[in-house]
Amino acid sequence: MYCRNCGKEIADNAAVCVNCGVSVGKGEKYCPNCASETSPDAAVCVKCGVALKKTSDGKVSTGVVGDKSKIAAGLFAIFLGHLGIHKFYLGEKKEGLIKIIATVVSVLAIFVCFVGVFMLIAVWIWNLYDAYCIFSGKTTDAEGNELS
Ligand SMILES: [Zn+2]
Ligand SMILES: [Zn+2]
């Protein structure tokens, strides 16, 4: 994998480019697959044909359809989103944990004051937004594969 911003080679699991410090998937100057220069609004690399379209969370989509289901991920987001199930399903463990923490904090807040209820609703609206991104094809799994 290559940095989208500077074109230097980076580890596949890197979160940030060690060369330029830009987080992986950000930038639009180079192809992440073959490191050739790309024009900022190109949807596909003209050299190797890889999809350059960014996902809702700034990752680069591989353009490959993976084995994860859009329907399953979307329904998980709507009904089990407070437990981060849709994130775990897509392999996004860190984001799944953030959802659980947000839910636990909200529930604890209910014991202190009524605001916790609104926090829980806010987390749910956040989950609905995740579902919207999943159904509209803006979300990929952790490897950047499109949902089927
Ligand atoms: Zn870089
Ligand atoms: Zn390329």
Side-chain angles (χ1 to χ4, degrees):
M1 178 165 81
Y2 299 91
C3 176
R4 286 279 275 140
N5 185 55
C6 69
K8 285 266 160 32
E9 189 162 9
I10 44 176
D12 281 343
N13 56 2
V16 175
C17 170
V18 286
N19 188 60
C20 67
V22 165
S23 61
V24 169
K26 291 267 159 59
E28 46 202 16
K29 292 192 223 91
Y30 296 90
C31 171
N33 186 52
C34 69
S36 63
E37 286 188 45
T38 57
S39 67
D41 41 38
V44 178
C45 171
V46 288
K47 259 290 193 35
C48 69
V50 84
L52 301 170
K53 176 175 77 138
K54 290 198 205 83
T55 65
S56 55
D57 46 9
K59 266 187 326 220
V60 177
S61 163
T62 59
V64 176
V65 177
D67 56 357
K68 301 286 195 315
S69 151
K70 212 180 248 185
I71 305 285
L75 292 179
F76 284 153
I78 294 167
F79 297 106
L80 299 167
H82 280 88
L83 300 172
I85 303 295
H86 58 301
K87 293 290 180 188
F88 290 113
Y89 175 70
L90 297 174
E92 311 267 15
K93 294 190 191 78
K94 202 171 80 186
E95 290 173 30
L97 281 175
I98 292 171
K99 294 275 186 192
I100 292 175
I101 291 165
T103 300
V104 169
V105 169
S106 306
V107 171
L108 290 177
I110 292 175
F111 291 108
V112 182
C113 64
F114 194 66
V115 169
V117 175
F118 294 107
M119 287 167 67
L120 268 184
I121 293 170
V123 174
W124 193 56
I125 291 169
W126 181 18
N127 294 333
L128 289 182
Y129 174 73
D130 286 348
Y132 163 75
C133 290
I134 288 165
F135 285 127
S136 62
K138 287 186 202 145
T139 300
T140 62
D141 67 16
E143 276 98 58
N145 296 327
E146 311 235 340
L147 307 179
S148 57

